[in-house]
Amino acid sequence: MLYAIISEDVNNSLERRLTARPDHLARLETLRDEGRLVLAGPHPAIDSESPGDAGFSGSLVVAEFDDLESAQAWADADPFVIAGVYAKVTVKPFKRVLP
């Protein structure tokens, strides 16, 4: 089943994001290589694809996991969680309708 992992950043998270980003991306690339990743990306803090120093306000990952417990465990082990990038992470089932 698909699960949405919706994360909200702490204030001024950009430096922490940049430090933890390689490990964060490596985990996402593993999901992609396993054919389980639907989409992933950050929410720019301003209305721009390249927000510069404004940074990001959070992230969204939609991926396939065996169950909610597995999705939550994966989210809890995210390098961004460990680095203190996220203030809050919500994991919930996701039903893809389109496309």
Side-chain angles (χ1 to χ4, degrees):
M1 179 165 186
L2 294 177
Y3 294 87
I5 301 170
I6 306 150
S7 306
E8 298 175 31
D9 283 24
V10 299
N11 290 331
N12 302 311
S13 63
L14 186 57
E15 186 175 323
R16 292 178 189 182
R17 271 183 169 270
L18 294 174
T19 300
R21 189 170 189 264
D23 292 335
H24 173 78
L25 288 178
R27 293 179 81 235
L28 291 169
E29 289 166 353
T30 298
L31 284 179
R32 179 200 61 205
D33 294 347
E34 294 170 350
R36 298 169 44 204
L37 183 64
V38 174
L39 64 87
H43 302 284
I46 60 174
D47 191 12
S48 173
E49 284 192 34
S50 300
D53 290 340
F56 300 91
S57 63
S59 300
L60 171 64
V61 173
V62 177
E64 184 178 338
F65 293 92
D66 289 336
D67 51 38
L68 180 59
E69 184 177 289
S70 299
Q72 185 68 59
W74 188 91
D76 290 345
D78 191 304
F80 279 0
V81 169
I82 295 163
V85 171
Y86 295 146
K88 179 180 177 184
V89 177
T90 303
V91 180
K92 53 186 169 180
F94 179 81
K95 181 179 177 181
R96 184 177 184 165
V97 175
L98 294 171

